[in-house]
Amino acid sequence: MAKISILLLPVFVKVALAIPAYGSLAGLTQRQVDDFIANNTLAPIPPPPGPLVNDGLLLVNDPSHPFIQPGPDDLRGPCPGLNTLANHGVRKTLRPTVSEFHFAEFNQYLPRSGVARPDQLVTAVMEGFNLGNDFARFLVYQAHLIDGNPITNLISIGMKTPQTGPDPPAPAIVGGLSQHGTFEGDTSMTRVDAFFGNPAIFNETRFDEFSAFSMQFGVNGTYDINAAAELRHQRLEDSIQTNPELSFQSPRILSAFSEAVFPTIFFVDGRLDNGQLNLQAARSFFQPNKFPDNFFRQPAPVSFPTIQPLTQQLFDKHPFVPGMNNGTNNFIELPDTPALSDFCGIYDDIVNRVLKTQYPNPSGPLLEALQTNLNFLFSAVEGHNCTQAFPFGQ
Ligand code: HEM
Ligand SMILES: *[C@@H]1O[C@H](CO)[C@@H](O)[C@H](O)[C@H]1NC(C)=O
Ligand SMILES: *[C@@H]1O[C@H](CO)[C@@H](O)[C@H](O)[C@H]1NC(C)=O
Ligand SMILES: *[C@@H]1O[C@H](CO)[C@@H](O)[C@H](O)[C@H]1NC(C)=O
Ligand SMILES: *[C@@H]1O[C@H](CO)[C@@H](O)[C@H](O)[C@H]1NC(C)=O
Ligand SMILES: *[C@@H]1O[C@H](CO)[C@@H](O)[C@H](O)[C@H]1NC(C)=O
């Protein structure tokens, strides 16, 4: 797997070099983009890697992955997990030296620029946190389809950027992970709702609340599953009362509940692995986006069978019906949209509604790239026995 990424690096570099020259193509018509693609072949789409070969406990904050503050041109976004992997990642230069190729043989996490290929993201979250392969694919290809650039095969973990290359035609957004209303959504734990400000940056008031809930509901003042259940409930109640534009429905409901559980697993040192996140480690991940000193990842890959019962546990404590506000404190339930427990319904909603809205009628190489990524996404949900969705035909 590492070998493959070395071989692909020069190709990737060529694409990156090509981008500034064509940056002004952003926002052209389908015809013009087709021309562009015809003249400048689609970036290759490496398939996602398989499961890790060595998938056990491992020191991940090691000397070959030093924490470095992001520079002014490095993009960071709403995900503390991915921001951390970029802050401990590789500085990608346009012309890698031989030693950098060698370096790439080690687990490189993410490019510090914050712009990456989806297969790199899958590798990074497996290597850095020990996400299971199918779970990593599910998160990554969902994100790439709705926030990434299928033509250049690049996605920003932060805001929209010319670094992901010329865009496919509107209504495609290619907004990066910070794009509100796609993957990013309301009721985040440590960020404000987009209605109130930038939802991609850490908010101290929010983190104080995270801490207070941990002190009140968690074992020994830690963020554990009980603290997670109460905080998740309170974040929704708060937004219902204050955010006139709150939206809390598929697919956001699934990410909101998963992300409430993640810190109790992935942010806890794998040698302890007791579901109890202490607040110093929590701050380290959420604010500077830094692995705690000497941090070990999970002792075994963590996937749907671990995550889903925990999100169910949160739901059972405080059930809800998906919906949206029509003005503050006026939550309109949308019982016909997929419920949190309806995994295949949410998969279908991502593909047939969210994606299709951005790509109503793709053709040519753009269509091919979308189909390829849709197949990668489906490969992640097969274990759930979902029926494959074909928004653009088979
Ligand atoms: C694998 C690909 C991943 C993608 C595409 C992704 C994407 C995102 C996005 C878009 C958000 C913002 C959602 C929102 O609050 O509105 C988010 C939040 C979050 N992510 Fe990730 N993520 C990934 C992996 C991870 C991993 C591996 C971890 C933990 C190790 C993680 C932990 C979190 C947490 C805790 C939040 C919630 C932040 C908050 O509510 O304040 N994510 N992620
Ligand atoms: C593609 O190449 C053709 C023929 O060389 C040229 O006329 C056209 O302007 C090019 N289109 C783009 C978008 O580069
Ligand atoms: C952080 O969140 C609080 C509470 O929602 C808000 O009052 C404050 O303006 C936010 N701070 C920033 C910097 O956005
Ligand atoms: C709480 O912390 C103390 C001291 O670290 C420890 O001895 C005790 O077992 C912990 N309690 C629980 C329920 O984990
Ligand atoms: C939202 O509220 C306005 C009145 O404040 C009403 O006219 C409108 O029908 C409501 N929309 C929905 C979807 O209920
Ligand atoms: C999927 O189908 C198989 C075979 O019918 C069954 O054993 C398995 O439990 C199903 N899995 C889920 C998540 O429904």
Side-chain angles (χ1 to χ4, degrees):
M1 179 182 30
K3 289 247 157 50
I4 290 173
S5 67
I6 294 166
L7 290 175
L8 286 168
L9 198 47
V11 178
F12 175 59
V13 166
K14 186 160 163 263
V15 171
L17 278 173
I19 285 163
Y22 297 101
S24 59
L25 285 186
L28 294 188
T29 64
Q30 174 74 54
R31 172 71 203 279
Q32 288 165 309
V33 171
D34 287 349
D35 271 3
F36 174 84
I37 294 169
N39 292 3
N40 307 270
T41 48
L42 273 185
I45 303 181
L52 292 178
V53 174
N54 299 311
D55 65 1
L57 196 63
L58 186 71
L59 175 70
V60 286
N61 189 6
D62 65 352
S64 60
H65 299 93
F67 171 80
I68 302 175
Q69 294 268 15
D73 297 331
D74 296 334
L75 296 159
R76 297 293 179 267
C79 177
L82 298 182
N83 290 349
T84 297
L85 292 170
N87 287 344
H88 289 268
V90 283
R91 171 69 57 198
K92 181 171 58 63
T93 53
L94 288 180
R95 295 179 192 286
T97 63
V98 172
S99 71
E100 276 166 329
F101 279 121
H102 180 67
F103 186 67
E105 253 183 306
F106 298 96
N107 313 332
Q108 57 183 20
Y109 306 159
L110 289 178
R112 291 185 192 267
S113 64
V115 174
R117 299 189 315 267
D119 61 292
Q120 283 179 311
L121 282 167
V122 174
T123 303
V125 297
M126 292 193 307
E127 300 279 15
F129 287 108
N130 218 346
L131 265 73
N133 184 257
D134 57 347
F135 192 55
R137 288 177 188 221
F138 176 68
L139 294 174
V140 169
Y141 286 96
Q142 170 189 347
H144 182 55
L145 280 162
I146 62 184
D147 284 335
N149 188 327
I151 298 173
T152 57
N153 200 38
L154 293 170
I155 179 170
S156 160
I157 68 167
M159 62 186 193
K160 185 173 179 64
T161 169
Q163 289 181 64
T164 51
D167 284 350
I173 307 174
V174 191
L177 290 183
S178 299
Q179 178 68 48
H180 178 63
T182 50
F183 196 133
E184 196 288 321
D186 292 331
T187 78
S188 305
M189 296 181 292
T190 67
R191 272 84 175 143
V192 297
D193 287 1
F195 178 79
F196 297 109
N198 184 344
I201 57 170
F202 176 84
N203 180 294
E204 186 63 45
T205 312
R206 291 266 85 95
F207 188 76
D208 286 348
E209 213 164 64
F210 180 98
S211 305
F213 273 67
S214 302
M215 299 300 283
Q216 190 179 348
F217 299 105
V219 169
N220 272 347
T222 63
Y223 181 80
D224 66 3
I225 197 68
N226 293 316
E230 299 310 320
L231 181 63
R232 179 94 302 284
H233 174 62
Q234 188 274 345
R235 292 299 303 113
L236 176 58
E237 289 301 306
D238 180 59
S239 289
I240 287 174
Q241 279 155 35
T242 59
N243 179 355
E245 296 176 1
L246 165 69
S247 173
F248 201 65
Q249 51 188 297
S250 167
R252 173 57 184 155
I253 49 175
L254 181 59
S255 68
F257 274 70
S258 309
E259 289 155 9
V261 165
F262 285 0
T264 70
I265 301 172
F266 298 114
F267 292 170
V268 176
D269 192 293
R271 292 165 296 181
L272 195 58
D273 194 25
N274 63 353
Q276 300 169 14
L277 174 64
N278 73 59
L279 292 177
Q280 295 93 305
R283 181 180 284 280
S284 181
F285 280 108
F286 278 108
Q287 192 179 27
N289 303 132
K290 183 178 187 291
F291 279 127
D293 291 345
N294 215 18
F295 186 80
F296 281 63
R297 73 181 185 196
Q298 281 290 291
V302 174
S303 203
F304 297 109
T306 304
I307 304 293
Q308 282 183 326
L310 292 172
T311 58
Q312 186 64 40
Q313 210 175 313
L314 301 198
F315 179 89
D316 290 344
K317 275 199 159 175
H318 296 287
F320 72 97
V321 176
M324 59 191 287
N325 260 1
N326 184 11
T328 53
N329 209 4
N330 184 23
F331 192 68
I332 298 173
E333 295 185 345
L334 299 169
D336 294 337
T337 62
L340 180 64
S341 58
D342 181 10
F343 182 85
C344 292
I346 290 178
Y347 155 72
D348 209 74
D349 185 57
I350 292 167
V351 168
N352 279 324
R353 185 180 62 85
V354 185
L355 181 67
K356 183 92 180 167
T357 303
Q358 292 195 32
Y359 297 95
N361 193 19
S363 62
L366 174 59
L367 173 62
E368 266 173 56
L370 290 169
Q371 298 286 40
T372 301
N373 288 307
L374 279 167
N375 285 332
F376 294 151
L377 178 64
F378 183 67
S379 74
V381 307
E382 267 171 314
H384 287 82
N385 298 340
C386 302
T387 305
Q388 184 163 11
F390 294 102
F392 314 121
Q394 298 205 23

